[in-house]
Amino acid sequence: MRWLFYLMIVILLIIAQSTLGVLFKIGSVKPDFVLAFVLCMALIKGENSGAAYGLISGLIEDIVYGKFLGFSALVKLLTGYFVGYGTRDLFKGPVVFTMGFVFMGTLLYNLIFFLAALLLTPEYKIGLFMPVVVYSALYNAVIGPVMYSAILRLEKLLNYYFVTKY
């Protein structure tokens, strides 16, 4: 039942990203709420949950945005897994660490995205890609601690409701 709450959150984040993301746009960079969510879930729950939420959120994004079905899902799955696996034994307490992990995770996501796009479409241009990557990573690093804190609070609430209460 817990996964249903997170599925609704992913759907709400996709809606917020496509509607409210335009309001928070700086230059050509919009926040990626869904990626920040997947990275924070990987930080909190580990590599398997990060990969699962990456796969599910990527599939929903692929369905909603009409891109190649499975492309975003594959990239988010790999990113969620690698971030969860890479931060398994690391201390994640201070906000600066969370910002750093989300920043590095966004860079990793964009690197995997670029490599996959380069394999599928050889005419893909890196010149248009690189300036946006760093700004997107910085933007997600600012969003990351807010998302991380919200997920931790939701986890406490769900643990109380599903584990303690019943």
Side-chain angles (χ1 to χ4, degrees):
M1 193 60 140
R2 181 180 291 220
W3 60 272
L4 189 60
F5 287 106
Y6 287 119
L7 181 66
M8 290 188 314
I9 288 172
V10 166
I11 292 170
L12 289 174
L13 287 174
I14 289 173
I15 292 169
Q17 183 172 316
S18 55
T19 56
L20 299 176
V22 178
L23 299 174
F24 296 113
K25 188 175 180 180
I26 299 175
S28 63
V29 178
K30 293 189 301 186
D32 194 348
F33 298 130
V34 178
L35 179 62
F37 175 77
V38 169
L39 293 173
C40 289
M41 288 301 287
L43 288 172
I44 293 170
K45 297 186 126 206
E47 66 269 10
N48 292 332
S49 292
Y53 288 111
L55 176 70
I56 291 168
S57 64
L59 278 174
I60 294 171
E61 274 187 336
D62 286 340
I63 291 169
V64 170
Y65 294 135
K67 298 179 183 177
F68 296 113
L69 187 62
F71 183 73
S72 180
L74 174 68
V75 175
K76 280 190 170 54
L77 176 138
L78 291 173
T79 305
Y81 182 81
F82 288 136
V83 167
Y85 185 78
T87 60
R88 183 186 325 170
D89 297 327
L90 297 176
F91 178 66
K92 303 170 195 87
V95 172
V96 177
F97 290 165
T98 304
M99 290 176 78
F101 293 139
V102 171
F103 180 81
M104 294 305 289
T106 304
L107 290 179
L108 177 67
Y109 169 79
N110 285 309
L111 177 69
I112 295 170
F113 184 90
F114 173 72
L115 291 175
L118 192 63
L119 287 173
L120 294 174
T121 57
E123 65 272 359
Y124 198 75
K125 304 281 190 243
I126 193 168
L128 301 173
F129 184 73
M130 287 311 291
V132 176
V133 169
V134 176
Y135 295 127
S136 174
L138 287 171
Y139 212 147
N140 284 347
V142 171
I143 294 170
V146 176
M147 188 80 65
Y148 188 85
S149 174
I151 291 171
L152 281 179
R153 290 181 185 185
L154 183 63
E155 275 293 307
K156 281 184 181 177
L157 177 73
L158 292 177
N159 281 341
Y160 171 74
Y161 187 72
F162 287 115
V163 177
T164 308
K165 194 170 181 181
Y166 295 106

